[in-house]
Amino acid sequence: MSTYERLLDEATEKGLTVIEKYPFASHRIRGLCYDDTIALSAQIDTEAERRVILGEELTHATHTVGDILDDPRLERRIRERNFDRLVGLSGLVNAYLAGCRDPWEFAEHLGVPEDFFAALMQNYKERFGTRATVSTEQGLFTVSFEPIFRVRKPLRSSQKRRLTGKRKIRRY
């Protein structure tokens, strides 16, 4: 089951109706949430974009009330929740472990558009600073955002000593 289908199932579980190909009058409107209905534009070309828009509208449906178009702080929080829902720090680690190195590879592996991935990376730099530590099923990892994006397993103390040349001298 794809992530998009899981999002559709989640919407159904929450009592929401999803109209997948709504003919909005404006091409700028990609998705809209009103009461218990989510409408996705018929102009959406890719499943990756459809997934991102459904995720965001589903987050709107479950976390907001009323018209929030004039509240940029709330829109930003919704966007951050969608970043975490669709990718998250552990998703970045898993994509790195799968061999992704370039932004387009991450976007493709994670099933999101490249512009969404770029916005996610910018948001994570703002939220977490230069690095964050992530605990996954594969162990503990450090995700660095600056000066370049990198994922690493933290060094154990014995490895640090080996790299610095400082060894503990045992005396008998």
Side-chain angles (χ1 to χ4, degrees):
M1 178 182 289
S2 73
T3 306
Y4 179 72
E5 290 168 338
R6 277 186 252 143
L7 290 171
L8 286 173
D9 288 347
E10 183 181 336
T12 303
E13 289 170 9
K14 294 183 187 232
L16 301 169
T17 303
V18 177
I19 303 169
E20 293 190 64
K21 297 197 180 221
Y22 191 83
F24 287 112
S26 172
H27 293 287
R28 292 180 51 208
I29 301 173
R30 309 303 269 172
L32 188 67
C33 176
Y34 185 78
D35 287 336
D36 61 348
T37 303
I38 295 173
L40 304 176
S41 174
Q43 303 297 319
I44 300 172
D45 299 326
T46 66
E47 184 167 326
E49 186 180 3
R50 187 170 298 284
R51 178 178 174 236
V52 167
I53 293 169
L54 177 57
E56 189 164 329
E57 297 306 327
L58 188 55
T59 306
H60 274 295
T62 57
H63 291 90
T64 61
V65 176
D67 184 7
I68 65 158
L69 292 175
D70 297 328
D71 190 348
R73 282 189 344 232
L74 193 52
E75 271 296 331
R76 179 182 169 93
R77 275 189 266 154
I78 294 297
R79 196 108 206 258
E80 287 175 353
R81 285 185 173 148
N82 199 34
F83 290 146
D84 295 341
R85 170 191 287 218
L86 297 180
V87 177
L89 290 170
S90 60
L92 293 176
V93 170
N94 291 335
Y96 185 84
L97 293 175
C100 300
R101 297 298 180 265
D102 294 321
W104 67 268
E105 291 175 316
F106 277 93
E108 186 175 301
H109 180 82
L110 297 165
V112 297
E114 287 184 54
D115 60 338
F116 178 85
F117 181 74
L120 172 138
M121 293 301 290
Q122 182 61 41
N123 179 271
Y124 280 5
K125 283 180 199 176
E126 292 168 8
R127 282 170 57 194
F128 301 112
T130 58
R131 70 177 50 106
T133 303
V134 185
S135 178
T136 68
E137 294 173 356
Q138 293 85 4
L140 193 65
F141 290 87
T142 299
V143 179
S144 299
F145 298 105
E146 288 184 356
I148 59 171
F149 175 67
R150 181 180 304 167
V151 177
R152 289 188 172 184
K153 272 194 162 236
L155 297 175
R156 294 186 307 264
S157 59
S158 62
Q159 292 171 314
K160 288 179 187 176
R161 281 193 302 267
R162 203 171 336 133
L163 290 175
T164 60
K166 296 178 182 175
R167 295 186 187 266
K168 211 177 211 181
I169 300 173
R170 295 184 185 194
R171 298 190 190 255
Y172 296 98

